[in-house]
Amino acid sequence: MNNDFTSTYEYTVEQKAEGKFRLMKLGFMTLYILYPLILMAVVFITQLFQIFALVAVTEWMLVYFTWKYTKPEYEYSVTSGRVTFSVIRGKRSRKEMLNFAIKECLQIAPATDGEWIAKLEAYDPEVIYSAVSTVNSPDKYYAAFENAEGKRCVFYFEATEKMLKLCRNYNSSHTVITKVRY
């Protein structure tokens, strides 16, 4: 096994269609059905049949620019003890959301265990970042830290053995390790 902790480690998860993402999909599908119907009704009422060709083009544009928000992917990477969290939309646009040092974390623990959840609730984070595929992920962990502005933050992530080893290497006193699937 490679124990080189200076290399980059990346992990990506896809958001499952639950909660607000399920509602977003249903809302967009409704919009995709209603939009051309309403536009065609306007074309027939105003009798401007020349703009009828725009229905298909604008429908395609609507789908192309909005559907990517319904199924984001979350990627976190660790390089030299720094975690970078990014959201990837539609497999084509990436936005970095967070960057922090593992050694600055006050606690890295499972978010599925009652004892550690109670400690997180007592911490009372002001800013929450999530890189989990589902709220009920069995490998859900959190990293509690303070950002540059002094706000209490928490980063939820799906833990893997390698990620937990990296956390233990950079912040052993505040890392709790349990058995994970990957």
Side-chain angles (χ1 to χ4, degrees), residues 53-68:
L54 292 177
V55 173
V57 173
T58 57
E59 174 77 6
W60 173 84
M61 289 174 60
L62 183 65
V63 172
Y64 182 79
F65 288 112
T66 59
W67 189 251
K68 66 182 178 182

Side-chain angles (χ1 to χ4, degrees), residues 61-84:
M61 289 174 60
L62 183 65
V63 172
Y64 182 79
F65 288 112
T66 59
W67 189 251
K68 66 182 178 182
Y69 293 101
T70 64
K71 193 164 185 176
E73 291 180 340
Y74 305 117
E75 176 188 81
Y76 65 85
S77 61
V78 179
T79 306
S80 299
R82 292 203 64 83
V83 175
T84 303

Side-chain angles (χ1 to χ4, degrees), residues 117-128 151-154:
I117 293 173
K119 287 185 179 188
L120 178 62
E121 288 173 358
Y123 180 65
D124 191 29
E126 299 171 77
V127 182
I128 298 173
K151 292 186 178 181
R152 294 180 310 277
C153 301
V154 67

Side-chain angles (χ1 to χ4, degrees), residues 69-114:
Y69 293 101
T70 64
K71 193 164 185 176
E73 291 180 340
Y74 305 117
E75 176 188 81
Y76 65 85
S77 61
V78 179
T79 306
S80 299
R82 292 203 64 83
V83 175
T84 303
F85 166 53
S86 302
V87 177
I88 304 165
R89 299 203 186 274
K91 299 192 187 295
R92 58 183 180 259
S93 67
R94 172 187 310 269
K95 181 177 181 185
E96 185 177 309
M97 303 296 288
L98 174 67
N99 192 321
F100 66 93
I102 294 173
K103 69 180 178 183
E104 295 172 0
C105 290
L106 304 171
Q107 186 69 58
I108 300 170
T112 55
D113 185 310

